[in-house]
Amino acid sequence: MEIRNPYLLFLGDAPDQLAAKTANGVRVWRPDWCIGQRRLPGCNADCAVPDLTIEEAAAAGARTMILGVANRGGFMPDSWIAEMVQAVSLGMDIASGLHTRITAIPELVEAAKAHGRSLHEVRQPTREFSVANGTRRSGKRLLTVGTDVSVGKMFTTLAIERELHARGLAASFRATGQTGIFIAGSGVSIDAVIADFISGAVEWLAPENEPEHWDVIEGQGSLFNVSYAGVTLGLIHGAQPDVLVMCHEAGRPHMRGMPHFPVIDIPTCVAACLEAARLTNPAVRCAGVSINTSRLDEAEGRAFCARIAGETGLVTVDPMRDGVAPLVDAVLRD
Amino acid sequence: MEIRNPYLLFLGDAPDQLAAKTANGVRVWRPDWCIGQRRLPGCNADCAVPDLTIEEAAAAGARTMILGVANRGGFMPDSWIAEMVQAVSLGMDIASGLHTRITAIPELVEAAKAHGRSLHEVRQPTREFSVANGTRRSGKRLLTVGTDVSVGKMFTTLAIERELHARGLAASFRATGQTGIFIAGSGVSIDAVIADFISGAVEWLAPENEPEHWDVIEGQGSLFNVSYAGVTLGLIHGAQPDVLVMCHEAGRPHMRGMPHFPVIDIPTCVAACLEAARLTNPAVRCAGVSINTSRLDEAEGRAFCARIAGETGLVTVDPMRDGVAPLVDAVLRD
């Protein structure tokens, strides 16, 4: 799966901005790829790119229409189907991050076939993987890990890729979730892989490379989130990271959606991730900590980062407020 | 999926005893369920039960024909298909542990439908699972863990179930792999579940139960096997074990199939498994160690167990030679 750009962002009738979170993430990180958005009556989301009809987007050169929006109740309205059929008829591929499978819509499948276009389901792995063998690969690898889900791992990973590029270094963002895949144009939705192949899929996703090339790999889940820890461990083993970056949300009251689980403290989480990572790369180190301080005001946020830096002895940044330059300094320090 | 017994063991043209390892495991652990075996010309395996034709097995009351044998090269010979069609025609279900999908054989699917019989693919999960929530469940749980794959986890788990039953205690073996599923008559092939649902599937497999009931759960993989560690961690978290039993093969030269990975030492492996298990059950303890000493002679085997007992301070047995009574004593000691 290689998603061709530029993109038309399809927002449908998204009831609010949150429903279009994925599309908005693509626009933030790949503005040059997003030539417009398609909104239907009732849409209350806005990705701040020009509103285009399907015809206008096709004429402007859009090669893929991105469904980076939540549909209501897993139900696909006829109006959406008509738009997709029109898009493939005018030469666009469709890439969907929905749970509802677009490849189960007969008229869309038929239209795509007739026009030689692709339907990408980014939540579904498109190939079979091998089990991991743990053989060391050349090239450098960074993996983001976290105290929980949704703490800023994708944001941190992309910010690090951008900073490495700004310094003239070779680096590739490796996407492991749906938004990341739209942003990278390819990747593996790692939590949808068969359990036996988690780390094997990561070995495939971040293959052997030039000795000085950085793969910056998007982490998922947490070793301390009971729902997803298996995914996280397979990701750590498959990545063979030289460097970990720990991500955390300040002020989260408990593990997401689980009031019966307290959030793990950062030093314990760093130690556990390093211990796990040593199995495939004994030289792994943690370069620093990336804190999402959006729940706090600026003074509280700075105080929080300072406290974590003190507790861990690691560079600690809020990537939104401060950028990741100090983190990347620590990544590159041998 | 509930596999109905008694069973007819289908051995086909298995070239040697190893190819019929699964069928043989079923015969060893569930002799009362195995009323016969069906062997074709060229079969060199023998499960030491009466040779029966399909007709004879049906007449004797066989309710499921078990394909617990490796077929050659993933190819399903016509002779096997004819036997399966005959079996369903005579009222048997088919339960297959093959990689080749029997539900992809049109004439078999048709015959099963015509006769109202089931085709079980035990390597494939038959339902959707939820993500784990880690909520504590009543009942007691034991999970076997190991230094590597194929070290005796299933054997140890089944031996513990048998010993608990012999002591008049309520206990259920919970199967997580194909041979175990044939032996239990149900279960989940945990390494075939979608990565997101590993621990959720285990929560389903070993549900809430009477306070004094023991679920004895078959472990898979190892936290130190890079190919499968994600499966193992999800299993540990989903099981919420009160008690772990560590399994190990004495004298294994390196991790199975991976000469570049040394076998982890037992104390380190015990500590890592306990640390992981504490996330969902802070009171977890390791009751003992089960050693497969088949590579050693008896004196060496005894010396090995004595050494491990000394190093770990834990009851250490060879379950084949000594049985698991001392282990179960340690399990039941509070």
Side-chain angles (χ1 to χ4, degrees):
Chain A
M1 175 175 60
E2 280 285 335
I3 307 174
R4 304 180 312 153
N5 63 68
Y7 297 161
L8 170 64
L9 303 175
F10 181 81
L11 304 189
D13 49 356
D16 54 34
Q17 193 68 8
L18 190 64
K21 187 174 72 149
T22 294
N24 208 52
V26 179
R27 200 266 309 159
V28 168
W29 289 101
R30 293 293 181 262
D32 296 349
W33 293 5
C34 299
I35 60 173
Q37 63 188 357
R38 173 61 179 155
R39 299 194 290 175
L40 299 179
C43 182
N44 295 317
D46 185 352
C47 287
V49 287
D51 281 297
L52 300 177
T53 63
I54 305 288
E55 291 92 336
E56 289 166 347
R63 300 178 76 189
T64 303
M65 184 162 90
I66 299 289
L67 270 70
V69 65
N71 57 336
R72 304 187 201 206
F75 167 78
M76 179 77 69
D78 285 344
S79 56
W80 290 30
I81 298 175
E83 298 269 324
M84 287 190 278
V85 168
Q86 191 185 9
V88 297
S89 306
L90 294 175
M92 284 183 242
D93 297 334
I94 311 284
S96 166
L98 300 173
H99 279 291
T100 317
R101 297 205 182 195
I102 59 168
T103 50
I105 303 170
E107 60 204 283
L108 179 58
V109 171
E110 207 169 295
K113 204 175 160 192
H115 295 275
R117 299 275 41 101
S118 300
L119 304 177
H120 303 295
E121 309 263 24
V122 305
R123 287 182 186 269
Q124 305 303 323
T126 50
R127 65 186 315 283
E128 299 205 338
F129 299 101
S130 306
V131 296
N133 63 32
T135 305
R136 294 283 291 143
R137 322 192 276 288
S138 61
K140 296 177 186 295
R141 281 173 198 81
L142 178 152
L143 174 69
T144 48
V145 290
T147 52
D148 196 2
V149 298
S150 303
V151 292
K153 290 187 280 286
M154 186 189 79
F155 186 99
T156 301
T157 313
L158 284 161
I160 290 170
E161 184 204 36
R162 181 174 284 177
E163 179 69 19
L164 287 168
H165 284 169
R167 297 185 188 195
L169 297 169
S172 308
F173 171 70
R174 301 299 187 186
T176 60
Q178 60 153 334
T179 306
I181 294 172
F182 288 133
I183 292 170
S186 64
V188 176
S189 191
I190 197 71
D191 59 10
V193 164
I194 298 291
D196 243 2
F197 305 113
I198 305 168
S199 46
V202 182
E203 291 189 349
W204 175 86
L205 179 67
E208 204 167 40
N209 216 316
E210 296 298 320
E212 297 305 312
H213 175 275
W214 282 94
D215 266 345
V216 286
I217 305 168
E218 179 190 9
Q220 295 291 339
S222 166
L223 287 183
F224 294 87
N225 182 307
V226 296
S227 307
Y228 308 113
V231 171
T232 307
L233 184 59
L235 196 40
I236 290 174
H237 286 163
Q240 300 183 359
D242 301 285
V243 171
L244 297 176
V245 170
M246 177 60 60
C247 301
H248 177 76
E249 183 189 31
R252 180 170 295 204
H254 50 70
M255 295 297 275
R256 191 180 172 90
M258 293 189 285
H260 48 307
F261 282 103
V263 176
I264 190 72
D265 68 279
I266 294 174
T268 301
C269 194
V270 167
C273 291
L274 284 172
E275 190 59 40
R278 281 188 196 106
L279 187 61
T280 53
N281 189 348
V284 64
R285 63 195 168 86
C286 183
V289 184
S290 173
I291 310 276
N292 173 348
T293 65
S294 57
R295 288 176 188 262
L296 311 180
D297 68 26
E298 186 175 337
E300 290 171 335
R302 292 195 184 280
F304 190 93
C305 289
R307 180 164 69 74
I308 299 303
E311 280 177 23
T312 61
L314 295 168
V315 169
T316 302
V317 301
D318 176 337
M320 282 280 252
R321 194 189 53 209
D322 303 326
V324 293
L327 253 185
V328 170
D329 290 343
V331 167
L332 298 175
R333 193 178 306 136
D334 248 327
Chain B
M1 175 176 57
E2 281 286 335
I3 306 174
R4 305 181 310 153
N5 62 70
Y7 296 161
L8 170 65
L9 303 175
F10 180 82
L11 305 189
D13 50 357
D16 53 36
Q17 194 66 10
L18 189 64
K21 187 175 74 150
T22 294
N24 207 53
V26 180
R27 200 265 310 157
V28 167
W29 288 101
R30 293 294 181 262
D32 297 349
W33 292 4
C34 299
I35 60 173
Q37 63 189 357
R38 172 62 178 154
R39 299 194 290 176
L40 299 180
C43 183
N44 295 316
D46 185 353
C47 288
V49 286
D51 281 295
L52 300 177
T53 63
I54 304 288
E55 290 92 337
E56 289 166 347
R63 299 178 76 191
T64 303
M65 183 162 91
I66 300 288
L67 272 68
V69 64
N71 58 336
R72 304 188 201 204
F75 168 79
M76 180 76 70
D78 285 345
S79 56
W80 289 30
I81 298 174
E83 297 269 325
M84 287 190 278
V85 168
Q86 192 184 9
V88 297
S89 306
L90 295 174
M92 284 183 242
D93 296 333
I94 311 283
S96 166
L98 300 174
H99 279 290
T100 316
R101 297 206 181 192
I102 60 170
T103 49
I105 303 171
E107 59 203 285
L108 179 58
V109 171
E110 208 169 295
K113 203 174 162 193
H115 296 275
R117 300 275 42 101
S118 299
L119 304 177
H120 303 296
E121 310 262 23
V122 305
R123 287 182 185 268
Q124 304 303 324
T126 50
R127 66 186 313 284
E128 299 206 337
F129 299 101
S130 305
V131 297
N133 62 32
T135 305
R136 294 283 293 145
R137 324 192 274 287
S138 62
K140 296 177 187 295
R141 281 171 199 84
L142 178 152
L143 173 69
T144 48
V145 289
T147 51
D148 196 3
V149 298
S150 302
V151 292
K153 288 186 282 284
M154 186 189 79
F155 187 99
T156 300
T157 314
L158 284 160
I160 290 170
E161 183 203 37
R162 179 174 285 177
E163 179 68 19
L164 288 167
H165 285 169
R167 299 185 187 195
L169 298 169
S172 306
F173 170 71
R174 301 298 185 186
T176 60
Q178 60 152 334
T179 306
I181 292 171
F182 288 133
I183 292 170
S186 64
V188 176
S189 192
I190 197 72
D191 59 10
V193 164
I194 298 292
D196 243 2
F197 305 112
I198 305 168
S199 47
V202 181
E203 291 188 349
W204 175 87
L205 179 67
E208 204 167 41
N209 215 314
E210 296 298 320
E212 296 306 312
H213 175 276
W214 282 93
D215 265 344
V216 286
I217 305 167
E218 179 191 10
Q220 295 291 339
S222 167
L223 287 184
F224 294 88
N225 182 307
V226 297
S227 307
Y228 308 114
V231 171
T232 306
L233 184 59
L235 196 40
I236 290 174
H237 286 163
Q240 300 184 357
D242 301 285
V243 172
L244 297 176
V245 171
M246 176 59 59
C247 302
H248 176 76
E249 183 189 31
R252 179 169 296 204
H254 51 71
M255 295 297 274
R256 191 180 173 90
M258 292 187 285
H260 48 307
F261 281 104
V263 176
I264 190 74
D265 68 280
I266 294 174
T268 301
C269 194
V270 167
C273 291
L274 284 173
E275 189 59 39
R278 280 188 197 107
L279 186 62
T280 52
N281 189 347
V284 63
R285 63 195 170 86
C286 183
V289 184
S290 174
I291 310 276
N292 172 349
T293 67
S294 57
R295 287 175 188 261
L296 310 180
D297 68 27
E298 186 175 336
E300 290 171 336
R302 292 195 185 281
F304 189 93
C305 289
R307 178 164 70 75
I308 298 303
E311 281 177 20
T312 60
L314 296 168
V315 169
T316 303
V317 302
D318 176 337
M320 282 280 252
R321 194 188 55 210
D322 303 326
V324 293
L327 252 185
V328 169
D329 291 343
V331 167
L332 298 175
R333 193 178 307 138
D334 249 328

